[in-house]
Every structure is written in C-alpha cells, then in structure tokens.
Amino acid sequence: MKYVSTRGNAPEASFLDILLSGLAPDGGLYLPASYPQVGRAELERWRTLPYAGLAAEVLGKFVTDIPIADIERLCRRTYTAQVYGHGRADSEASEIAPLRWLRPGLALLELSNGPTLAFKDMAMQLLGSLFEYALGRSGEHLNILGATSGDTGSAAEYAMRGRPGIKVFMLSPHGRMSAFQRAQMYSLADANIFNIAVEGVFDDCQDMVKSVSNDLEFKRRLRIGTVNSINWARVVAQVVYYFKGYFAATKGSDERVSFAVPSGNFGNVLAGWIAKNMGLPIERLVLATNENDVLDEFFRSGRYRVRSAAETHATSSPSMDISKASNFERYVFDIVGRDGATVRSLWQQLDTQGSFDISGTTHWKAVQASGFVSGRSTHADRLATIRRLHAGSGLIIDPHTADGVKVALENLAPGVPMICLETAAPAKFAETIVEAIGCEPERPAGYADIESRPQRFTVLPADVVGLKAYLEAHAK
C-alpha cells in the first residue's frame, strides 16, 4: 500500500514513512493511492470479530510494511476492556464501542469510554502504540507537535505520557476549553508533556502547527511529528468503529445504515467516507455542525469559506469551534477526481481569498452524489436535545453528541437505521448539562476532583516565531 499527497507534488510513500511525519513535503495530506475494497463475504467474516480483531483486519488493509502479527499484537494490547472501561455503568466494556438503541431506528455508538472520556481515545491509544513500535525499530526520538480545541490534546497526552523517546507539545486556545478539559491536560505532571496555551482560537493553534510542519528544515532538525487528525494513522484507526457500528446495528451485509457525526475538523466523518469507499453499506453520512457552520454551508451551497478568529464563535460544544477543517482537503481530493493540481488551485484561492466555490461545476455534482447531508445546531438546540433525551430515557449526552442527535433526527429515513457517534462523556461539560436538566452528570471513578489538581502550562501569543523558540529550548 502506497500513499500519495493531496497536492500531487510529493513522492509516493509507505505507511511507516508517513506515520511520524504529518503533512506531506508539498504541504498536502497523505491518502492511500487507492482505497482497499471489502466484499460481502469478507464483511460477514468480520461480523463476529472482537474489536481488536476487527481493528487488525482493517489496519491490515492499509498497513503493508508492518507484519500482520505485529499489527494484531498492537491491537490486542490497545483495545482492552480495562483501557475502555470508563463508560456508563450499564455499558459492556469488552465491546470497546458499544451500540445503544435510543429508539427503534436510532442508535448511539459509544466512543467515549477511553481514559480521557472522548472519541479521540479510539485512535490515539493505538497511535501511541504505533509510534512506540516505529521508534523502537529505528532507535530514533520524536517531538510531537499538536493543536487541540479540547479533546485531541488530552487524548494524545494520555496516549504518549511516559513513552520513551517521545515528547508532546500541545497547543490549545487559552480560556476556550471547559474546566474539565483544561484540567485533564494541564494537570499531567509527566516530564515528556508540554502544554502551551495560545492567546487565540483553535484555528490560530492549527495554523501555527501547520506553519512549523511546512518548515521542512526545522521539522527535520527537531524531529517533529504530529498527532492531529492530519496524521493518516489517526484517520485509519477511526475507520474501524464504522464497521463495528454497522455490524452491531445489522443482521446481514445486504442492509444499509446511516451515520450522524458531530464535525469540526472533518476527521471523524472522513473516516466514515473512507469506510463507505471501502464498500461498507453506508446510505448517508449526516454531518452536524454547531454555530461555526463552515462545513454545513459547504454541503448546502458548494461554497467553502473559512472564518476569521473574530468570526469564530465560542460555543457550548467547544471542541467543534473550528472554522478551517484540516481533513476537508482529503475529501475534496477524492471529489475532484484525485487531481492534485485542482486541489492546489482551490487551496490557493482559500489562502488568498478566504474561500472557494464549486457550485455549478461537475465537482459539485460529485459532492451531491457522495451521500453527505448536513445540518446546524445552536446552544438552544443542544439544551433541548439533552433535555428531550434525558426525559425520555434517563440518558445524558454531551453537547457535541447533542448536535449530532439533533441533526440525525432531522434526517431519519424509513428502514435505514441511523447511528449517532457519541463524541465525549457528559461529565466533561457539566455546566451545559446542569443548564439543560438541572443536575450534574455522573463522573467515572478517578475523575471526581480533577479540576482541583495543580496545573502546569505555558501561555504564548499566537506567533509561530515564539513557538519555534519555545520548541528550540525544550525539544532536545
């Protein structure tokens, strides 16, 4: 399996070549040269596999330069009931990603049962194992540079803490995460973890990471890699739970399902797009945004317009407060027939004019045929959805999942189950839960006093020069 850049000006590479690198040398994102196919017979064979076995089968389709026995061992070590045992009291931890029916035809895929109570753990724990494996083979070290709007950072830090040869430098928007999210990251005392609070919004953090990644000499000299969803291994690990959700919701591979996905950086729903292209019988991918509705605007109009920091709303689903979706480029690459020149042209427009518009083109017809629909949710919608679900079933969901459920309910189709991806535990966003239903969500054991723990972080301006100086001083 070889990988190509969305910009079309980088040599093909293997999985291990791109695992530690993030962006391609031409500034693009890596994708497989072609998507591996899964037929009906193979789907049926996978149907009864435990999660770790399913993960090994899916990864084996994309990773041909790691022996399959090693992939199986890494997956077995990663996907355990102990690691993913932080869910609801009645959740089956051994399922890793249990499916819960909310009502006939509408289900919740629980993806937030890992150590940081967010879906990012589903991929990040495996990424930690893959990094350690690759570095162990090469004898090298790695400085991980990432940006987070809330959950990616803690998931990365918990996955990488204490691993030999790895340091983590995580950027987050100063004062724009929930108290629980800040505490999860900033209270870690591990010597290889460095938290940087940026005086700006998430998009500033993301731009700083991309700027450093595009300085190839600096990146090479300091051995800088990434764990953001621009890292292909993150995306492929997320493909696994689409198969898991499908098998749990169906009895045979002639059935179809839809998935509703709260979306900010487009990585989560991109994994569904890849599963669909592999042959998983997905009817529709229902993308839900909050008030930062860049992606909803695109799927409704064909116009992709990034927002400035001043236009980016601080909302009660803060992990989706993103106005420039990094992984969107991978989808557009597929939509334009995998033509790197077209992607380069569109992103040049984006960089110089702040937007591009493909409505009225053959590319827009490809978008409309791709199975995506979208919708938008507001703070009032989130509160109403949390309240409605709690009143009907006693179940509490977090604000991001509420965005997904709200838009899912608007797009139900007879005879096609809708699976909503749960993105975080409600305990991470207690203030919004209290506002919605008047009581605190229950916290898993070990998280009761997290906000009172000492916190350690450095505040920096949204300036890449200052960030590089900090990295020079600490990334030895």
Side-chain angles (χ1 to χ4, degrees), residues 227-243:
V227 292
N228 272 51
S229 56
I230 58 175
N231 186 301
W232 168 252
R234 276 272 309 277
V235 177
V236 72
Q238 290 175 292
V239 171
V240 178
Y241 53 68
Y242 282 88
F243 283 86

Side-chain angles (χ1 to χ4, degrees), residues 2 20 22-23 33 55 70-71 79 92 109-110 144 164 169 179 189 202 241 304 306 309 321 436 454:
K2 292 296 184 180
L20 305 178
L23 289 174
D70 289 350
I71 295 174
Y79 295 112
E92 179 51 61
L109 189 64
E110 298 184 353
I144 293 170
F169 297 85
F202 169 75
Y241 53 68
Y304 182 62
V306 300
D321 291 350

